[in-house]
Amino acid sequence: MWHSATVRLSLGFVALAIFCLGIADLSITAHDPWHELGRLVQGLVQPDVSAVDDLWVALLRTLAFAFVGVGLGATAGFLLALVFHSRLVRSVCAFVRAIHELFWALIFLQFFGLHPLTGVLAIALPYAGVFAKVFAEILEETDPLPERVLPAGSGRLSTLAFTRLREAWPHLVSYTSYRLECGLRSSAVLGFVGMPTLGFYLESAFAQGHYDTVGALLLLFYALIASLRLWVRPLLVPVYLVVAPFCLGSGLPIVWSNVSRFFTEDIVPSPLRHGEGVSGLVGWLGDIMANEALPGIWQTLVLTQIALVLTGLLALALYPLVSRHFFQGRGWHGRLALAGTQQAGARVPGNRLAHLLGHGLLVIMRSTPEYLLAFILLQLWGPSMLPAVVALAIHNGGIIAHLVGRRSNEVRLRQDAPHGLERYAYELTPRLYGPFLALLFYRWEIIMRETAILGILGITTLGFYVDSAIQEIRFDRAMVLILITALLNIGVDVLARHLRARLRLRHTANCEP
């Protein structure tokens, strides 16, 4: 059933998004966007990798960064999850995961340079914060009864191993597998800041107008994600983790004096370095807030609100693509496809094919990194908020649609349940709306973080000002803006959790695909 509180909140979010649409820059400024889109489609149809040197090395590096980064993040996250009840641990984890891996990469580049350690830490650090939170939630949701029947005096490690960990293990493994998929996306995107992964070659191919090479790289990336479950077997994972560090490459040597200078000079506020005192520091911070932080925050919030609502609408429209209630047996497709020629609801030959095509569409949507998709759309449409909004909605909408569709398969319908649009509007969607809203609020903070980082592409969100400060070698200003970005993300996360609790929306830790 529809609950009045959730309906009012949803309508409020939609109204706010409509207001943001009126003030956002959503124009298409490219001279001939359809021609460029046609060239991209032609490149996907006729891919060519012959122009890419060392393609397989780039693919190997992409895999290596993902395995090492996710492996370190999962290990650290599990250890932190054991002490996640500590407020200090929770605060530190919230801070590190609130900063996007590309921001971490930009920071590490300043003192490690193009060294493998830059890419590994850029993935491992925020992922450790994410793993700690999710692993802690998974362990908390296990049945506490087995702990009560253990003999008195059982050690804490033994208690964990034979009670909570044993029950939670399948969920821990499932979530780690999902984060590995995320790690592959993050690893590929690191190429846009100079790391030798697929993103580096993709950016180069776009810059040169080689759309056949772009098509080949995109198809290769999709094949890599789609085949993940075929070659990532439990028995092989330890082998991959042992081999991966040796496939990272050597990179440029680390200049440790640069590391020391970064912490002792570069990130120290300019007024303090020049002895201007507190008054100078206040004026310096005021200038950052007035000319960079506040405009960046405003644009980030506007873009996030539009993308959040569009994500929700897209997810609600597409979740039937993976739901058995529409594509199997007496389904929506059967009713609509042969209405008037067969008994309503009969099975049709194209039913299974349509279901597979719909599932494949959602796989492509959720497998494409927002940053990568926004980069492509910017090349086709020109600079504005539109590429970012569409990229965020496609990626996150695909994820939520997949999860809601999978959740719908657990719903049992009556024998006399209606079909077609009535089944969608009156039977399934009202039952799924609570879990859907919980997932959307969960993705809210993620969309906010991605919105900020898309500023590196030229959209005037907080990331735009961070990247500009780094390009101008003003690392002190960049660190202040990154800190503001992290606090903004933490604030949205807190608000989302408050709304979930207020509406009593059930949200499990193991909610990702």
Side-chain angles (χ1 to χ4, degrees), residues 243-441:
V243 173
F246 298 98
C247 301
L248 293 171
S250 57
L252 299 175
I254 297 175
V255 181
W256 292 105
S257 59
N258 291 342
V259 179
S260 175
R261 187 185 67 205
F262 182 82
F263 288 103
T264 59
E265 296 182 25
D266 292 344
I267 63 173
V268 176
S270 175
L272 298 183
R273 289 202 310 266
H274 296 94
E276 297 178 16
V278 176
S279 60
L281 181 62
V282 171
W284 179 78
L285 289 173
D287 177 65
I288 293 177
M289 291 299 299
N291 297 315
E292 298 176 6
L294 291 178
I297 290 172
W298 175 250
Q299 296 293 335
T300 300
L301 291 174
V302 167
L303 203 160
T304 298
Q305 184 62 30
I306 298 173
L308 180 70
V309 171
L310 185 58
T311 293
L313 294 175
L314 201 59
L316 287 176
L318 296 181
Y319 84 82
L321 294 179
V322 292
S323 175
R324 65 180 177 85
H325 294 297
F326 297 102
F327 284 91
Q328 294 181 11
R330 291 177 174 270
W332 189 358
H333 184 275
R335 183 176 179 83
L336 296 182
L338 299 184
T341 61
Q342 277 186 255
Q343 181 181 357
R347 187 184 297 272
V348 295
N351 224 10
R352 181 63 176 167
L353 177 61
H355 178 72
L356 290 175
L357 290 176
H359 181 74
L361 173 64
L362 293 187
V363 168
I364 292 176
M365 288 172 63
R366 66 186 179 91
S367 297
T368 307
E370 303 99 315
Y371 190 92
L372 173 60
L373 184 56
F375 172 80
I376 293 173
L377 294 178
L378 276 168
Q379 312 308 308
L380 300 177
W381 297 343
S384 75
M385 285 188 179
L386 184 61
V389 168
V390 173
L392 290 165
I394 287 177
H395 175 75
N396 293 283
I399 290 176
I400 297 177
H402 171 81
L403 294 170
V404 174
R406 194 170 67 177
R407 180 69 175 263
S408 74
N409 293 332
E410 301 173 5
V411 176
R412 292 188 177 183
L413 299 178
R414 307 184 315 273
Q415 290 292 331
D416 61 343
H419 302 286
L421 292 175
E422 292 182 353
R423 171 174 293 189
Y424 172 84
Y426 299 111
E427 285 288 335
L428 283 173
T429 302
R431 299 189 194 185
L432 297 169
Y433 197 74
F436 154 76
L437 211 56
L439 288 167
L440 187 63
F441 285 154

Side-chain angles (χ1 to χ4, degrees), residues 61-121:
R61 298 273 171 81
T62 302
L63 292 169
F65 279 118
F67 271 101
V68 178
V70 174
L72 289 176
T75 302
F78 180 76
L79 296 176
L80 290 169
L82 301 180
V83 291
F84 203 71
H85 56 275
S86 167
R87 179 172 295 181
L88 176 62
V89 172
R90 292 199 304 270
S91 300
V92 171
C93 290
F95 178 77
V96 297
R97 71 172 179 264
I99 300 176
H100 194 279
E101 47 266 28
L102 274 184
F103 278 148
W104 284 116
L106 290 174
I107 293 172
F108 293 133
L109 275 171
Q110 308 315 313
F111 47 86
F112 289 148
L114 289 174
H115 191 276
L117 197 58
T118 294
V120 168
L121 291 178

Side-chain angles (χ1 to χ4, degrees), residues 409-482:
N409 293 332
E410 301 173 5
V411 176
R412 292 188 177 183
L413 299 178
R414 307 184 315 273
Q415 290 292 331
D416 61 343
H419 302 286
L421 292 175
E422 292 182 353
R423 171 174 293 189
Y424 172 84
Y426 299 111
E427 285 288 335
L428 283 173
T429 302
R431 299 189 194 185
L432 297 169
Y433 197 74
F436 154 76
L437 211 56
L439 288 167
L440 187 63
F441 285 154
Y442 172 75
R443 300 298 302 183
W444 190 4
E445 183 264 339
I446 297 173
I447 291 173
M448 175 77 75
R449 189 168 65 239
E450 293 289 342
T451 298
I453 199 65
L454 290 178
I456 296 177
L457 296 175
I459 303 163
T460 54
T461 60
L462 279 166
F464 174 81
Y465 297 101
V466 171
D467 187 55
S468 299
I470 290 176
Q471 295 296 328
E472 296 169 2
I473 320 180
R474 296 191 295 177
F475 302 124
D476 50 350
R477 300 177 76 93
M479 293 303 295
V480 170
L481 292 168
I482 289 176

